[in-house]
Amino acid sequence: MSSTTQQKIKEIEEEMARTQKNKATSAHLGMLKAKLAKLKRELIAPKGGGGGKPGEGFDAKKAGDCRVGLVGFPSVGKSTLMSKLTGTESLAAAYHFTTLTCIPGTFRYKGCKIQLLDLPGIIEGAKDGKGRGRQVIGVARTCNLILIVLDASQPMTHKLLIEKELEGFGMRLNKKKPDIRFTKRNKGGITYSTIGCKLTHLDKKTITAICKEYRCSNAEICFKCDATIDELIDVVEGNRVYVPCIYVLNMIDKITIEELDLLSQVPHYVPVSGGHEWNFDLLREKMWDYLDYIRIYTKPRGQIPDYSAPVVISRKGATVEKFCHRIHKGLLEQFKNALVWGSSAKHNPQRVGKDHKLADEDVVQIIKKIK
């Protein structure tokens, strides 16, 4: 089944390459891209399951406040970075494919416990199931941040190849989720509207062709951005993962200053040397920035705040309710209100409800209902 699917993918890609890109062919191209996305989904998760134990050696238990994955081709220094950052020994050697399973380790930064996963080296064709590509990228999809490790002395085409593998597996690196609302209906056909934007990449014919390819004859689509064909397909598929990514250019001790200046033009990058531990402070700082988490300190009644163990939550939607959930799921049932000290409070302390938005390093005291 896999070889037949790969053959179909190849045929569609060839047809897309032959098709001229203009307004008259956009609906046809949209249909081809939708077909391609469906076939790739089939390849990633075959209907009949796959041989062997799923995720064997890759079922690292989630630990800490967040999960960061080290992804890259074999022998780019992932294991060395892992050992130096976490103190966890991950076998390192001068030959390819030293790491054969997912190796977890943890380290603390600004009170946040970060789990680092050393994933086996990706090979070209991983998204099509080559090597142990499916399991590797499958674990990468569960991460809050991806570190793509590149050998600074190797061609930068490696970066494009890894991006292609991850994109093919439904991962979108350093991209925001398209602001599109897609709602299936029972009748009414395909209708669409725009709010605050004008569509320059899509028209009625193309939108209808994509929906028909997914056997969807009735739907209402609301665009709040100038979406492309690929972005609309991503929303219809509904299984895409939008994750921040940092490109770690390792082994900078092997290259010249001039080459390093040239590589500095790569966006989202951090140059390091794993062997010499150069620039590790900047790497940790950038990881913290890209994770975009905040620290909230708890204050028991009549005591000073506990600054040793902050509660770490995502900045997006960081409300008192989310803070309570992070401590204990049952805490909201007893919640009356909260006292907040810090930059999110209008005055210190401010009595707030569960919808109050928190800021980094706020201090919170929960007041429970009296039974």
Side-chain angles (χ1 to χ4, degrees):
M1 198 273 297
S2 180
S3 57
T4 316
T5 308
Q6 284 174 348
Q7 187 60 39
K8 284 178 183 174
I9 286 171
K10 193 181 174 188
E11 285 168 9
I12 291 170
E13 283 175 341
E14 284 171 358
E15 190 180 341
M16 281 170 67
R18 287 195 303 268
T19 307
Q20 285 188 337
K21 290 170 181 66
N22 54 50
K23 213 167 185 179
T25 61
S26 66
H28 181 63
L29 276 169
M31 184 197 69
L32 289 175
K33 283 185 173 184
K35 272 186 179 174
L36 197 62
K38 281 167 67 183
L39 287 167
K40 283 181 176 178
R41 188 214 310 150
E42 221 174 276
L43 202 62
I44 292 160
K47 289 171 188 173
K53 294 175 186 174
E56 188 184 349
F58 290 79
D59 50 354
K61 190 179 177 184
K62 200 162 186 178
D65 299 302
C66 55
R67 182 177 257 200
V68 177
L70 289 167
V71 177
F73 281 123
S75 299
V76 290
K78 296 192 301 297
S79 299
T80 306
L81 282 172
M82 173 81 172
S83 302
K84 296 287 174 74
L85 283 168
T86 67
T88 303
E89 282 304 315
S90 179
L91 190 64
Y95 51 86
H96 288 352
F97 302 108
T98 319
T99 306
L100 299 173
T101 60
C102 169
I103 297 168
T106 57
F107 70 96
R108 284 195 175 272
Y109 186 71
K110 292 191 174 181
C112 176
K113 190 179 180 184
I114 299 170
Q115 183 183 41
L116 198 62
L117 299 179
D118 179 12
L119 297 168
I122 281 184
I123 59 168
E124 200 176 342
K127 67 181 188 303
D128 305 325
K130 285 186 184 175
R132 300 191 77 176
R134 277 187 202 154
Q135 295 104 313
V136 175
I137 308 178
V139 173
R141 279 174 65 98
T142 69
C143 294
N144 305 100
L145 172 69
I146 296 294
L147 300 183
I148 292 182
V149 186
L150 302 162
D151 184 341
S153 62
Q154 294 296 316
M156 283 307 285
T157 48
H158 285 194
K159 171 180 175 284
L160 299 174
L161 288 170
I162 291 171
E163 285 172 345
K164 188 182 175 185
E165 296 305 320
L166 297 176
E167 287 264 333
F169 213 87
M171 293 184 74
R172 300 292 176 260
L173 307 175
N174 293 325
K175 288 181 183 176
K176 283 186 177 178
K177 192 175 180 179
D179 202 350
I180 304 168
R181 192 175 70 243
F182 180 81
T183 314
K184 284 186 179 181
R185 299 186 301 185
N186 295 323
K187 56 183 180 179
I190 306 292
T191 60
Y192 77 94
S193 59
T194 59
I195 297 175
C197 67
K198 187 182 177 184
L199 296 180
T200 58
H201 308 287
L202 292 164
D203 54 26
K204 173 80 174 174
K205 196 177 173 185
T206 308
I207 293 165
T208 306
I210 291 168
C211 291
K212 289 279 171 69
E213 186 54 44
Y214 283 95
R215 295 181 182 177
C216 178
S217 305
N218 304 290
E220 186 183 359
I221 309 163
C222 179
F223 294 92
K224 292 183 182 178
C225 63
D226 183 14
T228 62
I229 290 172
D230 293 319
E231 285 173 337
L232 176 58
I233 290 168
D234 283 351
V235 170
V236 176
E237 277 279 338
N239 61 354
R240 304 307 192 222
V241 176
Y242 296 85
V243 63
C245 172
I246 297 170
Y247 299 94
V248 182
L249 295 179
N250 195 17
M251 308 183 195
I252 54 169
D253 48 304
K254 287 184 179 179
I255 60 171
T256 63
I257 295 292
E258 288 76 22
E259 285 172 319
L260 189 60
D261 287 341
L262 196 64
L263 289 171
S264 68
Q265 294 170 26
V266 179
H268 313 290
Y269 102 118
V270 178
V272 300
S273 171
H276 297 285
E277 294 188 39
W278 293 349
N279 228 12
F280 273 28
D281 287 344
L282 179 63
L283 177 60
R284 290 188 191 99
E285 185 61 43
K286 200 141 189 169
M287 283 167 70
W288 177 253
D289 289 345
Y290 276 57
L291 283 165
D292 201 25
Y293 280 10
I294 62 170
R295 297 151 295 170
I296 309 297
Y297 302 109
T298 55
K299 183 189 179 301
R301 191 172 180 178
Q303 296 176 38
I304 61 166
D306 180 9
Y307 292 109
S308 62
V311 176
V312 179
I313 55 174
S314 172
R315 191 185 299 273
K316 190 178 178 182
T319 59
V320 172
E321 183 177 4
K322 195 173 181 180
F323 168 76
C324 291
H325 267 299
R326 190 77 177 81
I327 296 171
H328 192 275
K329 287 177 183 176
L331 187 58
L332 272 175
E333 293 170 18
Q334 305 164 41
F335 180 85
K336 184 182 178 185
N337 51 48
L339 293 175
V340 177
W341 292 259
S343 54
S344 75
K346 289 176 183 173
H347 46 81
N348 288 322
Q350 182 185 351
R351 195 176 293 272
V352 299
K354 63 180 182 181
D355 296 326
H356 176 79
K357 203 161 191 305
L358 297 166
D360 190 29
E361 297 197 281
D362 274 359
V363 174
V364 177
Q365 180 185 321
I366 302 295
I367 297 165
K368 296 179 182 178
K369 293 172 185 171
I370 301 168
K371 290 183 181 179

